[in-house]
Amino acid sequence: MNVQLAERKIAEWAAANCMAIGIGPDRIQASYIYNPGGFGNLSIRLTDGRTRLHAKLAPPRKRARLRQWANVSEYLAKHYSAPKLIHDINEEIVPGYPYGLVFEYIEDSVPLAEVLDADEIRSAVLKIIAKLHLDEELRELLPVAANRTYAEAFEEEYLSRFTEDLVGILESRELLKDFVTDETLTWFGEEIERLREIIRQTPAFQQAAVDVVHNDLNGNNVLVRGDGSFRIIDWDDLSGQGDAAMDYSVLLWPLADDPSWPIWREKVIATAGDAVVERLELYFRAKLLDDVIDVLADYVEAEQVPEYREEAQRKSKAIHLASYPKYLAKYEANS
């Protein structure tokens, strides 16, 4: 991907559509927003010097998810602190990105991951997602496929992605040879199958998956404003057939090894019940494995964005090298 080309194309489009998106036609600037979680969608900050907007473009494989967000964006903004949708883009402004959305820009905000004393905000987010998980009205607005279990939801959210990651990693083996051994790659495949077997044999995962979930509630997707309010962004993976344990695990992952974890665990039990917490513990395991495998896929994908390649690969390598021995120490003895 050519970042400069993308910025220029978006700026030209914004100038031609300034009335529709509510900015002035002159002095428009477009700036690429680096996403530390990967390079799937393309995010651009737009400004005319006064108003700022956030444009998010999707490649073909992610278009349906972004369109689904657009369909329920008004409901999410009203009930779940989601950003306001300004405009949808039904043309290929940037090559390879045939659809996009333009949102309000969340001013005066920092990611929850960067907030030092985040307990109050995190508790508020817990309350709002507990409401989300049981929202039948929203569930009726979302597409529903054949019934699936929590085990199938887990496999889709993690195991299928790990398997896809592994294919890409093996195809780009040369990029990783300095710090990833052949034995490690073999272990990846074996561990994916071990987790699959555990999930399929755990009773708490055999129930029907009927929770409405955000599915990517990490600390970078909750933006905290100066007045203490917050916005929840990136609703691409919203599902009406998900697992509440997924949301809790991603939101609370930074606390998994913290002395305060028992307190948060009790909060989840009080809110959602013992079965959710049982599944949450296995989601924690998958989240750590995500930092072992998926970051290597990010390392490979960073080759497509030369401007950010060095930074992204340095970070991905560091996460992998820290997480792999931690995972082995925590789970290998029980495998």
Side-chain angles (χ1 to χ4, degrees), residues 14 24 110 223 309:
V110 296
L223 302 182
R309 179 176 56 209

Side-chain angles (χ1 to χ4, degrees), residues 252-266:
L252 299 175
W253 172 242
L255 305 175
D257 294 320
D258 190 86
S260 68
W261 169 241
I263 297 173
W264 291 98
R265 185 178 185 276
E266 288 302 316

Side-chain angles (χ1 to χ4, degrees), residues 69 80-83 125 128-129 214 217 221-223 230-235:
W69 181 1
Y80 295 107
S81 298
V125 176
I128 201 170
I129 64 168
H214 179 284
L217 204 62
N221 285 339
V222 178
L223 302 182
F230 60 86
R231 295 287 185 273
I232 300 174
I233 64 171
D234 283 5
W235 292 82

Side-chain angles (χ1 to χ4, degrees), residues 58-80:
R61 64 189 176 88
K62 295 195 172 186
R63 174 170 43 189
R65 287 290 192 175
L66 207 57
R67 194 183 299 276
Q68 175 186 271
W69 181 1
N71 291 340
V72 295
S73 62
E74 186 175 348
Y75 188 94
L76 294 174
K78 180 178 180 180
H79 297 283
Y80 295 107

